[in-house]
Amino acid sequence: MSIANREKDLERIHNQIKICRLCRLWKTRKEAVPGEGVLNAEYFIIGQGPGANEDITGRPFIGRAGKLLTELLTLAGINREKQTFITSIVKCFPTPPPNRKPKRDEVEACNHYLKSQIELVNPKKIILL
């Protein structure tokens, strides 16, 4: 599959995530957080779930944890914008209560999105946070 087709498929998946209602998390989200990064990323980074800052912006790892992640990537010689794709196992802020661990059914509802993202991005390494 060409890069252009993979980009279109990834955009389609991200649009589906933004309107997803497969679990209860859509009811309290402000923005879904599909993920961001490059195709053929060297590193595919997966977090547990978006936080409050991510819920507001729709972008992954931009709060305190994101700043730390960016610092650690930089120390390791990894360029976040050019070498990574970053997402989470669930695509909406797990609440209530805020920042709770995602529940099994929420993870299962998002699982097909994550698998599709991994397939389309085609990373060299996957890092679980």
Side-chain angles (χ1 to χ4, degrees), residues 106-124:
E106 296 163 348
V107 172
E108 289 172 358
C110 282
N111 197 35
H112 71 286
Y113 294 132
L114 182 60
K115 286 180 179 180
S116 294
Q117 288 173 313
I118 292 169
E119 183 179 319
L120 291 167
V121 171
N122 191 30
K124 292 181 181 152

Side-chain angles (χ1 to χ4, degrees), residues 40-86:
N40 297 324
E42 192 166 339
Y43 304 96
F44 192 97
I45 301 170
I46 306 171
Q48 180 172 286
N53 290 318
E54 293 76 9
D55 184 45
I56 292 167
T57 64
R59 296 189 59 221
F61 282 91
I62 60 160
R64 283 184 316 170
K67 288 178 184 173
L68 177 59
L69 175 63
T70 300
E71 288 174 17
L72 293 173
L73 290 172
T74 301
L75 285 172
I78 299 168
N79 184 304
R80 178 176 170 153
E81 288 78 28
K82 295 180 180 178
Q83 293 178 275
T84 69
F85 188 94
I86 302 174

